[in-house]
């Protein structure tokens, strides 16, 4: 028995062809067995080989493509939506501005002396309403010249300070009614043989004069009356004093050189812009005129 070895049944066969669970084999017969058939080894035919399953790359590519395409569609739709929302809220800037009330102070009531909401112009002059009679205050001893109360007080203070500085500011014209303006425009035009365009360069048509508002005043130099309502007034001490000091009393030159209205230079014509109503009266009129020129009907 020392020269025998037991082998598994898978490596031994009975002489009759029946498989045995184990058999005794002489040692010398071991040379007939392969080295890899020893009991410690697993026959190659019985090894379980795991082959990796191929990944479905084509299917993954389709999924990736569809995902990217969907994201692109969503991004495009979002961008279009952002562009459309402002247009829905405000289709045109002009429409939005036209929806706003002309009176920025609220409500539909116009302030006395305010410009026409349509900002209509005639021969380069803006439209203005007449000041109420009870809002006027005299600035001369005889009461012939009047301004709105706030403007009158400031002018009288300015006149007194100028007098203290040796300059005599003389009021030549202040508030004018429509009737007064009709005379100045039509009667003087006829007397001078002027056409409407020529007359409008130095005098506004009725309903379009700043003097209607009770805030405008024509000023002369008491020391040089010959310069009254003349371009030469710009060379007087009164004009120089006004240029340096009028703003302290809330007066400004209405028609400087090269003014946008195209009205002739009038160094004697000044207007008060020292309270809310006066400021809105003149500056709203100019803004409406500019808007009408930019967006003609």
């Amino acid at each position: 028995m020392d020269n025998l070895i037991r082998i598994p049944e898978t490596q031994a066969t009975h002489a009759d062809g029946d498989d045995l669970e184990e058999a005794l084999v002489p040692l010398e017969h071991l040379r007939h067995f392969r080295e890899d058939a020893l009991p410690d080894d697993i026959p190659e035919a019985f090894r379980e080989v795991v082959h990796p399953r191929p990944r479905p790359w084509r299917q993954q590519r389709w999924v990736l493509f569809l995902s990217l395409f969907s994201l692109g569609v969503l991004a495009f739709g979002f961008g279009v939506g952002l562009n459309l929302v402002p247009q829905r809220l405000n289709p045109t800037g002009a429409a939005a501005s036209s929806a706003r009330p002309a009176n920025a102070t609220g409500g539909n009531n116009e302030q006395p002396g305010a410009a026409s909401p349509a900002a209509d112009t005639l021969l380069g002059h803006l439209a203005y309403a007449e000041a109420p009679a009870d809002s006027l205050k005299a600035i001369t001893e005889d009461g012939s010249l009047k301004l709105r109360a706030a403007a009158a007080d400031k002018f009288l203070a300015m006149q007194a300070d100028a007098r203290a500085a040796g300059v005599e500011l003389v009021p030549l014209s202040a508030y004018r009614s429509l009737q007064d303006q009709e005379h100045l425009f039509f009667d003087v035009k006829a007397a001078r043989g002027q056409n409407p365009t020529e007359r409008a360069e130095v005098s506004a048509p009725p309903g379009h004069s700043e003097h209607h508002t009770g805030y405008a005043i024509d000023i002369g130099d008491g020391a040089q009356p010959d310069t009254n309502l003349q371009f030469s007034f710009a060379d007087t001490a009164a004009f120089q004093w006004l240029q340096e000091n009028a703003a302290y009393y809330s007066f400004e030159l209405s028609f400087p050189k090269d003014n946008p209205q195209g009205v002739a230079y009038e160094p004697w014509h000044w207007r008060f812009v020292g309270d809310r109503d006066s400021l809105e009266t003149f500056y709203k009129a100019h803004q409406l005129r500019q808007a009408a020129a930019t967006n003609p009907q």
Side-chain angles (χ1 to χ4, degrees):
M1 295 296 291
D2 294 336
N3 294 326
L4 299 178
I5 187 172
R6 299 178 186 273
I7 62 173
E9 61 173 338
T10 56
Q11 296 178 352
T13 304
H14 192 268
D16 294 336
D18 298 326
D19 292 334
L20 299 177
E21 290 184 359
E22 68 178 13
L24 299 178
V25 181
L27 290 176
E28 62 266 25
H29 292 173
L30 289 178
R31 65 179 180 272
H32 298 294
F33 292 91
R34 292 182 311 168
E35 232 175 77
D36 57 352
L38 294 177
D40 294 334
D41 196 8
I42 300 175
E44 184 175 355
F46 295 97
R47 293 177 183 174
E48 182 179 359
V49 179
V50 179
H51 297 282
R53 295 178 63 186
R55 297 182 180 178
W57 292 108
R58 181 172 300 178
Q59 180 180 358
Q60 291 184 8
R61 285 199 298 270
W62 274 106
V63 172
L64 179 60
F65 173 79
L66 290 176
S67 299
L68 292 176
F69 180 78
S70 300
L71 288 175
V73 171
L74 289 174
F76 178 80
F78 183 75
V80 171
L82 287 179
N83 290 331
L84 291 178
V85 167
Q87 295 179 7
R88 291 173 182 169
L89 294 177
N90 185 11
T92 59
S97 60
S98 63
R100 297 172 186 165
N103 189 353
T105 60
N108 295 323
N109 297 327
E110 290 185 40
Q111 293 287 344
S116 167
D120 54 317
T121 61
L122 181 61
L123 298 173
H125 292 270
L126 301 168
Y128 295 103
E130 282 191 82
D134 59 1
S135 68
L136 301 174
K137 178 179 179 179
I139 58 173
T140 56
E141 292 183 0
D142 61 3
S144 60
L145 298 180
K146 298 178 180 180
L147 290 174
R148 297 272 189 132
D153 292 341
K154 287 293 186 179
F155 174 77
L156 292 174
M158 182 172 68
Q159 185 184 47
D161 291 344
R163 185 180 293 116
V167 176
E168 189 65 32
L169 301 180
V170 179
L172 305 176
S173 180
Y175 163 76
R176 292 184 204 150
S177 66
L178 284 170
Q179 185 177 359
D180 294 335
Q181 198 67 23
E182 286 177 355
H183 166 70
L184 286 175
F185 189 83
F186 292 111
D187 294 346
V188 174
K189 175 179 75 66
R192 296 182 180 178
Q194 297 173 322
N195 61 44
T197 302
E198 291 172 335
R199 184 60 187 158
E201 291 179 356
V202 293
S203 182
H208 293 75
S209 173
E210 289 189 352
H211 287 281
H212 293 328
T213 68
Y215 292 122
I217 183 171
D218 294 336
I219 302 175
D221 189 331
Q224 295 180 265
D226 57 317
T227 63
N228 289 349
L229 305 178
Q230 303 295 321
F231 295 130
S232 57
F233 175 71
D235 300 324
T236 65
F239 180 77
Q240 297 301 321
W241 190 93
L242 285 169
Q243 282 215 308
E244 295 174 3
N245 299 283
Y248 293 108
Y249 306 89
S250 298
F251 281 89
E252 66 180 15
L253 192 62
S254 292
F255 304 113
K257 291 181 179 179
D258 302 320
N259 60 83
Q261 284 185 248
V263 178
Y265 173 49
E266 295 185 355
W268 60 86
H269 185 112
W270 297 75
R271 65 189 180 199
F272 176 76
V273 287
D275 61 14
R276 180 176 180 178
D277 183 67
S278 60
L279 185 69
E280 290 181 351
T281 294
F282 296 115
Y283 280 85
K284 273 189 175 182
H286 286 276
Q287 290 171 355
L288 289 171
R289 181 177 186 269
Q290 293 171 357
T294 305
N295 302 304
Q297 298 296 328

